[in-house]
């Protein structure tokens, strides 16, 4: 039996975040395709007070982390690797993110074949202090030098990484995230959820994501407030584990028409996507944008900033807007018919980018390392 130990997630199921969504979708499907594998996630947060449990045949072991801003993931990865070596003895360690990637050499010295998934250059996010950014940059370098294999979640992530580090290229490959919504809730469930949020079908503009400065939600709110008179509401789905200054600033915009709906997952999230008039993602940086992928799978019209990760989805040109350009975004929102922002060709491409295909590619990679 091949044992893979996964480090870098806060927890599953039901935790909000890109890595958490990926872990929840990916690893059960790997086990479904090849039951001879054993997969253990070492996470940081308990689920319903449980610290050792199974989720769809994936073993979950919770090791609580020191709550030190900027260092939580760093310390947890070190402790998790030591725990894996002493108690679990996996053949492969799968680290998610360049923060955990800092320990690629340590993982190799412990005797593990080490895969690191590079989700994005996180050190570009303004929330990090200088020392946290330094650790992330070193983590990226350690990933490049010492990981056995590096998975880039999009072609744009790999292209940027290759440009900065034009060596050891043979270790890198692209496995694009999926992001397809698998939940198609019954109509009565949709009605109840929308009513609870004060919404009506096709009567709201939607944004989804962590409340973080790089997401550009402040620009979206400014654009929405500058719109021509409209009956549409603005709904922002997501939260942040820390109520920092940015979160406090944008929350002040809450009103009857600007709704902060909190975190939603599964069937509830699918309902919100499927009934939106328009999905807007004004982000300044993404590795792979799960939000755009999910909107495509829900056939929702999309307006997105013109960053490389969004361009990769090959949306209609009308769907793109220059990042940070509030007047241009306002003009997009003022369109009389949002159907011009629906990209059927992109929806078709996304329909083939399933979590099952993603799991198959990961399994092929793991098999090649044995």
């Amino acid at each position: 039996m091949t044992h893979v130990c996964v480090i870098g997630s806060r927890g599953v199921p039901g935790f909000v975040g890109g890595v958490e969504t990926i872990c929840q979708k990916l690893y059960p499907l790997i086990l479904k395709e090849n039951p001879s594998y054993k997969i253990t996630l070492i996470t940081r947060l308990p689920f319903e007070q449980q610290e050792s449990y199974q989720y769809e045949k994936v073993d979950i072991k919770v090791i609580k982390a020191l709550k030190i801003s900027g260092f939580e993931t760093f310390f947890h990865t070190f402790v998790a690797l030591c725990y894996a070596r002493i108690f679990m003895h996996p053949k492969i360690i799968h680290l998610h993110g360049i923060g955990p990637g800092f320990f690629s050499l340590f993982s190799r010295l412990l005797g593990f074949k080490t895969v690191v998934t590079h989700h994005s250059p996180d050190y570009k996010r303004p929330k990090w202090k200088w020392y946290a950014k330094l650790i992330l940059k070193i983590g990226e370098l350690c990933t490049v030098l010492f990981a056995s294999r590096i998975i880039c979640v999009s072609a744009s992530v790999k292209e940027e990484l290759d440009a900065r580090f034009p060596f050891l290229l043979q270790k890198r490959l692209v496995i694009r995230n999926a992001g397809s919504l698998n939940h198609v809730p019954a109509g009565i469930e949709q009605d109840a959820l929308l009513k609870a949020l004060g919404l009506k079908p096709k009567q709201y503009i939607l944004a989804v994501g962590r409340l973080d400065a790089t997401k550009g939600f402040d620009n979206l709110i400014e654009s929405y407030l500058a719109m021509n008179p409209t009956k549409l509401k603005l709904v922002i789905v997501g939260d942040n584990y820390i109520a920092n200054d940015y979160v406090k600033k944008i929350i002040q915009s809450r009103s009857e028409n600007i709704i902060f709906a909190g975190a939603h997952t599964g069937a509830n999230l699918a309902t919100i996507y499927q009934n939106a008039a328009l999905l807007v993602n004004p982000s300044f940086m993404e590795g792979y944008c799960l939000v755009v992928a999910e909107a495509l799978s829900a056939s929702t019209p999309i307006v997105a900033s013109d960053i490389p990760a969004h361009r990769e989805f090959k949306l209609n040109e009308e769907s793109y807007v220059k990042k940070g350009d509030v007047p241009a975004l306002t003009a997009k929102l003022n369109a009389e018919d949002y159907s011009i922002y629906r990209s059927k060709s992109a929806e078709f491409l996304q329909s083939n980018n399933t979590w099952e295909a993603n799991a198959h590619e990961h399994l092929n990679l793991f098999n090649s390392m044995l």
Side-chain angles (χ1 to χ4, degrees):
M1 177 175 286
T2 301
H3 189 183
V4 179
C5 186
V6 182
I7 300 170
S9 169
R10 291 183 182 87
V12 295
F15 290 88
V16 176
V19 173
E20 288 70 30
T21 299
I22 292 162
C23 289
Q24 183 172 334
K25 299 285 188 180
L26 171 63
Y27 297 107
L29 290 172
I30 289 177
L31 293 180
K32 184 177 180 180
E33 181 171 342
N34 191 335
S36 69
Y37 270 73
K38 173 182 173 66
I39 296 177
T40 303
L41 270 65
I42 302 181
T43 62
R44 306 200 297 273
L45 299 176
F47 174 69
E48 295 181 347
Q49 309 305 316
Q50 300 177 81
E51 297 189 0
S52 292
Y53 58 99
Q54 276 198 338
Y55 173 73
E56 295 187 10
K57 299 185 180 179
V58 176
D59 294 319
I60 315 294
K61 173 62 183 175
V62 179
I63 299 177
K64 294 181 180 179
L66 294 172
K67 295 187 180 298
I68 303 175
S69 179
F71 290 97
E72 183 178 338
T73 302
F74 185 79
F75 288 125
H76 181 267
T77 302
F78 175 77
V79 173
L81 284 168
C82 293
Y83 186 92
R85 178 70 283 163
I86 296 169
F87 298 106
M88 293 184 172
H89 316 296
K91 291 183 179 178
I92 297 173
I93 290 287
H94 190 176
L95 302 173
H96 279 275
I98 56 176
F102 183 97
F103 293 98
S104 297
L105 176 59
F106 183 56
S107 178
R108 296 292 298 277
L109 291 174
L110 290 176
F112 301 129
K113 296 179 179 180
T114 304
V115 179
V116 179
T117 294
H118 194 324
H119 294 273
S120 68
D122 284 329
Y123 47 78
K124 293 183 178 180
R125 299 186 190 279
K127 68 177 181 178
W128 297 120
K129 303 292 186 182
W130 68 267
Y131 49 83
K133 291 183 178 182
L134 178 61
I135 288 174
L136 289 168
K137 288 181 178 180
I138 296 173
E140 185 178 59
L141 178 60
C142 290
T143 295
V144 167
L145 292 175
F146 304 119
S148 307
R149 299 300 299 274
I150 302 168
I151 298 171
C152 298
V153 297
S154 68
S156 60
V157 168
K158 185 176 184 298
E159 288 166 5
E160 188 175 348
L161 188 66
D162 290 350
R164 286 198 302 277
F165 304 103
F167 52 86
L168 299 174
L169 302 179
Q170 71 280 3
K171 296 198 298 184
R172 304 168 203 170
L173 75 159
V174 175
I175 301 180
R176 297 185 77 232
N177 283 336
S180 298
L181 294 167
N182 297 326
H183 302 274
V184 182
I188 188 170
E189 294 175 346
Q190 296 187 38
D191 293 342
L193 175 63
L194 294 178
K195 184 177 180 180
L197 293 173
L199 302 175
K200 295 181 180 179
K202 308 304 179 183
Q203 294 297 307
Y204 59 92
I205 297 166
L206 174 66
V208 179
R210 186 178 300 176
L211 304 185
D212 181 273
T214 58
K215 298 298 183 182
F217 292 148
D218 51 339
N219 287 346
L220 174 57
I221 291 169
E222 187 177 350
S223 297
Y224 175 78
L225 291 174
M227 285 177 66
N228 296 333
T230 178
K231 295 181 180 180
L232 297 175
K233 294 185 177 183
L234 173 61
V235 181
I236 299 176
V237 173
D239 63 7
N240 197 317
Y241 292 94
I242 301 173
N244 56 29
D245 291 341
Y246 178 79
V247 174
K248 293 174 183 176
K249 174 187 173 183
I250 63 173
I251 289 291
Q252 290 177 356
S253 303
R254 188 195 306 268
S255 68
E256 183 180 349
N257 291 325
I258 300 178
I259 299 169
F260 288 86
H264 289 272
T265 59
N268 284 356
L269 183 59
T271 293
I272 295 169
Y273 272 114
Q274 290 165 353
N275 287 281
L278 177 70
L279 181 282
V280 182
N281 200 62
S283 181
F284 285 78
M285 63 167 287
E286 298 282 351
Y288 174 93
C289 189
L290 285 169
V291 171
V292 169
E294 289 170 343
L296 285 171
S297 70
S299 300
T300 305
I302 298 167
V303 168
S305 53
D306 61 347
I307 60 176
H310 287 160
R311 287 283 182 184
E312 217 168 299
F313 286 97
K314 303 185 185 304
L315 305 176
N316 294 341
E317 192 59 34
E318 293 84 358
S319 289
Y320 292 109
V321 62
K322 184 179 179 181
K323 66 180 181 181
D325 191 334
V326 172
L329 180 54
T330 301
K332 295 284 186 184
L333 299 183
N334 279 328
E336 293 184 5
D337 183 2
Y338 287 158
S339 66
I340 62 172
Y341 303 134
R342 185 178 173 192
S343 305
K344 292 186 178 181
S345 59
E347 290 172 10
F348 175 77
L349 291 173
Q350 180 59 30
S351 69
N352 295 318
N353 188 29
T354 64
W355 284 112
E356 287 78 8
N358 187 278
H360 182 72
E361 290 187 68
H362 276 80
L363 190 57
N364 285 343
L365 174 61
F366 293 155
N367 288 336
S368 73
M369 297 174 67
L370 300 178

